[in-house]
Amino acid sequence: MVKHKKQRVTVVTLIGLLFAALCWVSFNFMDSVQSSLWENSVKNILESTTRGASLLQRNYLKDLEMLRMLSLELGSGDSTDADRIRDRLKLFLSGAGTLSALVFEDGTGYLDNGLAVTLNSEEQERVRNLSEKSGLLFPQRNRATERRTFTIFTTVDFRDGRHAYLFKGYNVETLYAEYALSFYNNTGFSYVISPDGNIAMRPLHPASNRTLSNLFEIIGEGNNDPEVVESFRDSLQRGKSGVAVFDDGNGEKVVCYVAMPEMAGWYVVSIVPNAEIMREANVIVRQALLICFLGFVGLLAAFLVYARMNRNYRKEIHALAYSDTLTGIRNFQKFREDGDELLNAPGAPKYAMLSIDMLNFKIFNDVMGYAEGDALLKAFSRVLERAPGKKVLTARMVADHFVALLSYEDKEELREYCTFLARAVDAFIVSRRLIFRQELRVGICCTEDSDAAPGVNALLDRAGIALQAIKVKGANLWNFYDHSMRDGIVREKELEARMEKALADGEFQTFIQPKYWLESRRLAGGEALVRWKTRKEGMLSPGEFIPLFEKNRFIIRLDRHMLTSTCRLLRKWLDEGRHVLPLSVNVSRVQFYTPDFVDAYIQIKDEYEIPDGLVELEFTENMFFEDISRLSFIVGRLKHAGFRCSIDDFGSGYSSLNMLKDLSMDALKLDRGFFRTAQDSERARIVVRNMLNMADELRMLTVAEGVETEEQVKFLETSGCDIVQGYIFGRPMPAEEFDELLASADLA
Ligand code: C2E
Ligand code: MG
Ligand code: MG
C-alpha cells in the first residue's frame, strides 16, 4: 500500500517536472521565436523605409537639377525680357499639381501660367532669409492654391546683373501619395520629418495620425525614458538612421528612421504599432505552442494508457502469482504472506491453523471423473471461507489439500467449523447424486499449543503432524496438535539425517531368525531381518525406522542391501561347499511402484550366482490389495527367475482368500495374531485348521510366525502346519551365529 502511494507520488512529481520543463522550454522558445520574428519584421520595415527615402531623395535631386538647368537658361537672357521668361517658365515648369514662379529680389515676378505676381511682405521676408543658392523649403500653405506646398528653389543670375529665385512648388499631398509607405493593413505609416521632428509630409490615408505635427508630440505623450528620447533627438540632429521603440500612451510603436542628407537632413520615418508586428509573431508562436501542448497532452494520454495497461497487467500477474488457478482462492505463497501478517500483528487473538485433506480424493477422481473432482474442490474452497461469524484465510496447497487460518476463543468453535465443513461436503455429494462419499481429515494446531514462534510455516508443520496422526490413528474428523507428536517428527528427522551415512558405514546389519520343520524339528531355513546398529543408541529394531523409510523411499535401497547381504552369505556357504538352506528377505510394498524392481533383484541374484529356490521373497499381505494383475505379473517374473515367493503376515489385516486363488505363491506365512486366539476359541481353531488345509491343497508351504509357547506348537502340529518361526525355537540372531547354527544343524 505504502509502496504504491510512493510510486504514485513519484509519477505525479515526474509529470509535474515534465510539465514545468515543457513550459520553460515553450516559454524560451516563444521568446526566441518572437524576438527573431520581431527583428525580421523590423528589418523589413527599415528596408522599405530606406527604399522610400532614397526614391524621394533621387527624385528631389532630379527636379532640383532640372531647376538649375532652367536657371542657367534663363540667366543667359535679360531680366527684362518678360516674354522669354514667361515662355521658358511655361515650357519647363508648368504641370499638374505643381506651381512654379520666378521672383525678383524686389518681390515681383511671374508664375508659370504667365501671370505676374507680387509677393506680400511675409513672403518677401522668407525669400530674403534664404541662405542657400538652391534647396527646399519646409511645406507651407500656399496663398494662391490654399494647399500645403513643398517647394524647391534655386537662384537665377541674369545677364543684365539682376538676381531672382526660381521656385517650384508641389502639392504635398499629391507628391507624397507617391512615396508614402503603409504597413500592416494601414496600421503603420511613414512620414517625412525635418531633423527637429516637424512633419513635412504625411500620407493621405485617413487612419494616419492627421493631427500630428511634430513627431516628438507622440513620443512625449508616452512614458518613455527621457534619456532614450534625448538620444533619439540627438540621432536625428546628427543625420543617423536607425530603429527606436517608443510608447505613445497608446501602446508601443516601432520607429524606423532613415536620413536623407541630400534633402536638408530630412527623414523618412515609419511608425508601426509594435502590437501589429507582434501579432504575426504571436500567431506563429501560438501555433507552435498549440502543437507543443497537443504533443504534451498526447504524451500524457499515452503515458496514462500505458500506466493503466501496466496496472492491469500487474494485477493479472499478481492474480497469477497469488491465487490458485482452479479455485481462485489464495495460493500458498499469498496465504503465507497474509497469514504471517495476521499472526504477528500486535495484540493478535488466538489463531488456529487447519490442515485439511480429503480422504481418497484420488479414488473419487477416478470413480467420479475429473470434472466432478474439480467441482468438488471449487465448491469446497467456497465453503471454506464461510466460517459462520468468522473471517478465514484460506489457500489450496496442492490437489485436495487445503489450509485455513482462523481466530477463535474456544476450541469448540474449531470443532464446529470442522463439522460444518464435513456437512458441506456431504451436502455437495448428495446434491449431485454422487455415489462416492468423500470424507475430510483436519489436523489443527492452535497458537496456544504451538511451541514455535508465531508464523504460518511453523503452525502448518504442526497442523500437518496432527493430520498425519489421524491418518494413522483412524477415523476422527479432526485432531489437535500436542507436543508429543512433535517428538516423533523430530526423531524421524534425526534418523533421516543419519540413514545415508549409516548405510555406507555398514550400520544396517543382517540378523537371521531360524525356521524349523514342525514335524522333524530340523532347521528349515531362515528369515533375514534388518537391524540398525547405532553407536549412540545401540541396536534399533525395524519397527523404529521401516515406516519412515517407506515414507521417504529409502527402503528401496535398504531392501536391496538386505538381498545383497543375504546372497553374499549364501554364496559364502556355497563356496565353502556346505549344505545350504533357503533364506527369505522382506520386500516392502514401496518396491511395487519401483519400475526396475524385478530387474534389480534378478541382477543381484545372478551376480552372486545363487541357484534357484534358495532365496525367498516375502510380500506383506497388504500389498495384495494393490493392482493384483500387476502383482501377479511381478510374482510370475520373479518365480521364473528362480525366486521363491511367499505371503507375509497373513491374517494381520484384511485377508482375502481370493488372492490365494489368483497368485501362485510358494509359502503362506501366518501372522501370529492369526492363531493367538486359537487356543481359546474353537471357532478360531476351525478357521486356522481349514486355512492350513487349503494352503496345503494349493501346494503352499505354511509357516507359523511368532510362535512363543508350547501350546501354540502343539496346536499347530495337530493342525498340519509345516514350519514354525518363533522365539520358542530361535530369536533373530547375527548372521555369524546363524552360520554356526547351520554348521551344527542336523540336516540329513
Ligand atoms: P516380519 O517380516 O513379519 O518378521 C517377523 C517379525 O516377528 C520380526 O520382527 C521378528 O523378530 C518377530 N518375531 C519372530 N518370532 C517372534 C516371537 O516369537 N514373538 C514375537 N513377539 N515376535 C517374533 P522384527 O525383526 O522386529 O521385524 C519386524 C518387521 O519389520 C518384519 O516383520 C518385517 O515386516 C519388517 N522388516 C524387517 N526387516 C526388514 C527388511 O529388511 N526389509 C523390509 N522391507 N522389512 C523388514
Ligand atoms: Mg517377514
Ligand atoms: Mg511376518
Side-chain angles (χ1 to χ4, degrees):
M1 216 43 201
V2 173
K3 204 171 138 197
H4 283 176
K5 207 171 172 187
K6 263 189 186 168
Q7 275 180 351
R8 214 170 300 148
V9 169
T10 313
V11 167
V12 169
T13 313
L14 276 178
I15 292 178
L17 283 176
L18 189 71
F19 187 72
L22 199 80
C23 285
W24 187 78
V25 167
S26 304
F27 182 77
N28 280 305
F29 166 77
M30 193 173 73
D31 209 43
S32 81
V33 166
Q34 267 182 336
S35 59
S36 91
L37 284 172
W38 185 86
E39 275 167 21
N40 220 24
S41 303
V42 169
K43 209 170 116 199
N44 287 340
I45 295 169
L46 191 63
E47 273 173 14
S48 300
T49 310
T50 308
R51 266 199 307 275
S54 69
L55 186 65
L56 185 62
Q57 199 170 229
R58 215 168 39 238
N59 287 346
Y60 160 76
L61 288 175
K62 212 168 69 190
D63 283 6
L64 198 61
E65 192 53 36
M66 211 270 296
L67 214 58
R68 282 192 191 125
M69 276 167 62
L70 179 60
S71 149
L72 286 177
E73 163 64 20
L74 285 172
S76 67
D78 284 331
S79 63
T80 50
D81 190 349
D83 289 342
R84 183 172 166 265
I85 293 172
R86 284 198 180 100
D87 182 53
R88 292 290 184 273
L89 287 181
K90 194 168 182 183
L91 185 67
F92 288 96
L93 295 181
S94 68
T98 60
L99 180 70
S100 306
L102 179 98
V103 177
F104 293 100
E105 283 171 326
D106 59 1
T108 61
Y110 308 100
L111 293 176
D112 58 1
N113 54 13
L115 294 175
V117 69
T118 305
L119 300 186
N120 60 25
S121 58
E122 188 187 333
E123 287 164 346
Q124 276 192 35
E125 179 66 24
R126 277 183 73 192
V127 171
R128 253 197 306 279
N129 284 341
L130 288 176
S131 55
E132 311 213 343
K133 291 195 123 211
S134 62
L136 47 80
L137 296 179
F138 194 83
Q140 294 262 321
R141 188 164 295 277
N142 186 288
R143 188 160 46 93
T145 59
E146 290 286 310
R147 296 270 174 85
R148 280 190 84 231
T149 306
F150 164 67
T151 309
I152 60 176
F153 69 92
T154 186
T155 50
V156 183
D157 301 323
F158 283 96
R159 202 172 47 183
D160 53 14
R162 277 186 80 191
H163 301 288
Y165 280 97
L166 192 55
F167 295 97
K168 182 170 184 182
Y170 301 81
N171 178 348
V172 174
E173 289 187 349
T174 323
L175 173 77
Y176 197 57
E178 264 180 64
Y179 303 99
L181 303 167
S182 112
F183 305 91
Y184 298 99
N185 286 328
N186 293 325
T187 53
F189 300 96
S190 64
Y191 301 84
V192 176
I193 61 166
S194 63
D196 47 12
N198 288 326
I199 292 184
M201 299 180 198
R202 59 160 48 89
L204 277 176
H205 201 280
S208 69
N209 195 342
R210 310 291 300 168
T211 56
L212 189 67
S213 63
N214 187 296
L215 192 65
F216 290 99
E217 283 172 28
I218 320 181
I219 298 168
E221 279 170 21
N223 314 313
N224 296 299
D225 184 352
E227 258 180 47
V228 177
V229 177
E230 214 34 59
S231 107
F232 176 60
R233 196 189 295 275
D234 189 51
S235 293
L236 293 188
Q237 294 296 333
R238 292 207 264 156
K240 283 188 184 167
S241 302
V243 177
V245 179
F246 294 110
D247 189 338
D248 64 354
N250 229 344
E252 279 186 334
K253 300 286 182 299
V254 173
V255 177
C256 295
Y257 52 100
V258 177
M260 295 182 290
E262 304 291 347
M263 282 180 75
W266 287 12
Y267 276 83
V268 176
V269 178
S270 297
I271 300 176
V272 183
N274 201 12
E276 288 303 322
I277 300 176
M278 295 309 293
R279 194 192 306 278
E280 199 179 317
N282 282 343
V283 169
I284 295 172
V285 165
R286 229 175 285 139
Q287 279 173 352
L289 273 182
L290 188 70
I291 290 169
C292 262
F293 180 73
L294 288 178
F296 176 75
V297 168
L299 260 177
L300 195 69
F303 172 78
L304 288 176
V305 168
Y306 166 78
R308 195 187 187 87
M309 273 168 57
N310 196 32
R311 202 177 55 205
N312 290 345
Y313 173 71
R314 257 192 285 165
K315 259 190 197 168
E316 254 171 56
I317 294 281
H318 189 269
L320 278 179
Y322 284 114
S323 67
D324 173 49
T325 38
L326 176 71
T327 60
I329 61 174
R330 284 176 185 77
N331 63 14
F332 180 60
Q333 196 191 335
K334 179 75 176 141
F335 177 83
R336 191 167 47 201
E337 282 174 18
D338 294 350
D340 278 338
E341 208 171 301
L342 283 182
L343 290 167
N344 291 296
K350 289 194 277 186
Y351 275 105
M353 176 69 78
L354 278 65
S355 178
I356 306 159
D357 206 10
M358 296 189 179
L359 276 192
N360 306 324
F361 181 74
K362 186 181 169 308
I363 303 173
F364 181 90
N365 251 345
D366 289 345
V367 177
M368 299 283 109
Y370 281 89
E372 285 298 345
D374 284 354
L376 172 61
L377 295 177
K378 282 186 207 167
F380 186 68
S381 67
R382 286 194 295 274
V383 167
L384 208 54
E385 297 194 311
R386 286 209 310 261
K390 287 208 179 306
K391 198 172 173 322
V392 192
L393 208 64
T394 63
R396 187 168 78 119
M397 300 282 282
V398 280
D400 58 329
H401 189 182
F402 290 84
V403 286
L405 183 70
L406 69 162
S407 62
Y408 70 96
E409 280 171 15
D410 186 338
K411 284 185 180 169
E412 190 52 35
E413 294 166 28
L414 302 172
R415 291 184 196 103
E416 278 167 14
Y417 179 58
C418 291
T419 314
F420 160 78
L421 293 179
R423 289 210 181 114
V425 171
D426 280 347
F428 175 85
I429 305 279
V430 170
S431 74
R432 295 176 84 101
R433 299 172 195 282
L434 303 178
I435 41 162
F436 194 94
R437 303 300 291 272
Q438 185 56 268
E439 283 182 47
L440 294 182
R441 293 290 180 264
V442 187
I444 306 172
C445 178
C446 299
T447 38
E448 59 183 309
D449 299 329
S450 170
D451 41 6
V456 165
N457 279 346
L459 279 180
L460 200 58
D461 273 354
R462 287 159 179 75
I465 293 168
L467 177 67
Q468 217 45 51
I470 345 178
K471 282 189 177 170
V472 176
K473 253 167 39 186
N476 273 355
L477 170 57
W478 62 77
N479 188 27
F480 284 89
Y481 169 84
D482 66 51
H483 296 281
S484 62
M485 291 178 191
R486 175 105 193 119
D487 299 341
I489 301 289
V490 169
R491 171 75 178 156
E492 281 192 348
K493 292 276 174 248
E494 191 193 324
L495 294 182
E496 214 159 23
R498 281 159 49 189
M499 65 192 186
E500 288 283 352
K501 189 166 183 305
L503 184 65
D505 293 351
E507 287 186 17
F508 291 106
Q509 298 192 344
T510 306
F511 270 48
I512 297 177
Q513 184 176 27
K515 297 177 188 173
Y516 288 91
W517 293 105
L518 193 53
E519 204 179 327
S520 63
R521 308 285 163 105
R522 282 187 185 148
L523 193 60
E527 176 178 5
L529 295 161
V530 70
R531 294 290 180 270
W532 187 349
K533 193 175 171 199
T534 62
R535 251 173 257 150
K536 274 199 293 184
E537 301 148 291
M539 200 70 85
L540 299 182
S541 66
E544 291 176 77
F545 54 85
I546 296 264
L548 167 68
F549 290 176
E550 288 191 329
K551 253 194 284 175
N552 66 18
R553 299 176 65 79
F554 186 67
I555 194 69
I556 296 170
R557 292 175 53 202
L558 185 61
D559 274 358
R560 288 182 193 179
H561 165 79
M562 290 299 289
L563 176 68
T564 308
S565 126
T566 304
C567 288
R568 197 182 297 124
L569 204 58
L570 286 168
R571 173 64 12 225
K572 176 177 166 268
W573 294 335
L574 288 167
D575 287 348
E576 287 169 359
R578 287 165 51 179
H579 192 81
V580 184
L581 292 175
L583 292 180
S584 63
V585 290
N586 292 284
V587 178
S588 164
R589 58 185 301 179
V590 177
Q591 302 277 12
F592 184 71
Y593 302 103
T594 317
D596 68 339
F597 155 58
V598 176
D599 292 334
Y601 270 51
I602 293 174
Q603 198 192 336
I604 295 170
K605 177 174 172 285
D606 288 349
E607 192 186 325
Y608 288 94
E609 296 172 0
I610 307 298
D612 291 353
L614 277 187
V615 180
E616 181 177 309
L617 303 179
E618 296 188 9
F619 297 93
T620 46
E621 184 194 56
N622 55 18
M623 198 159 168
F624 296 79
F625 291 99
E626 309 286 348
D627 182 348
I628 198 83
S629 60
R630 181 171 156 76
L631 186 61
S632 166
F633 174 72
I634 289 174
V635 168
R637 279 193 67 200
L638 288 169
K639 287 186 70 171
H640 185 257
F643 286 104
R644 286 163 56 84
C645 293
S646 60
I647 301 174
D648 200 359
D649 302 335
F650 187 82
S652 63
Y654 300 95
S655 308
S656 163
L657 295 177
N658 234 5
M659 70 188 185
L660 297 179
K661 164 177 79 65
D662 292 330
L663 293 165
S664 60
M665 305 299 275
D666 299 295
L668 186 67
K669 295 188 75 178
L670 302 179
D671 189 76
R672 64 199 182 103
F674 196 63
F675 51 83
R676 200 169 36 205
T677 50
Q679 58 216 54
D680 312 323
S681 151
E682 181 53 29
R683 287 175 72 86
R685 275 198 288 271
I686 293 169
V687 172
V688 174
R689 245 181 237 130
N690 280 294
M691 202 60 242
L692 290 168
N693 268 341
M694 195 169 72
D696 194 39
E697 277 176 34
L698 290 170
R699 297 188 196 293
M700 283 193 276
L701 275 179
T702 48
V703 183
E705 286 187 294
V707 181
E708 288 178 349
T709 61
E710 268 310 323
E711 286 89 346
Q712 286 170 340
V713 175
K714 272 192 195 120
F715 164 69
L716 291 166
E717 260 174 342
T718 54
S719 307
C721 180
D722 300 312
I723 294 173
V724 163
Q725 177 185 346
Y727 291 171
I728 188 145
F729 292 131
R731 286 179 174 258
M733 56 189 79
E736 305 77 51
E737 258 181 56
F738 187 80
D739 194 331
E740 285 167 20
L741 187 71
L742 183 70
S744 63
D746 177 8
L747 303 170

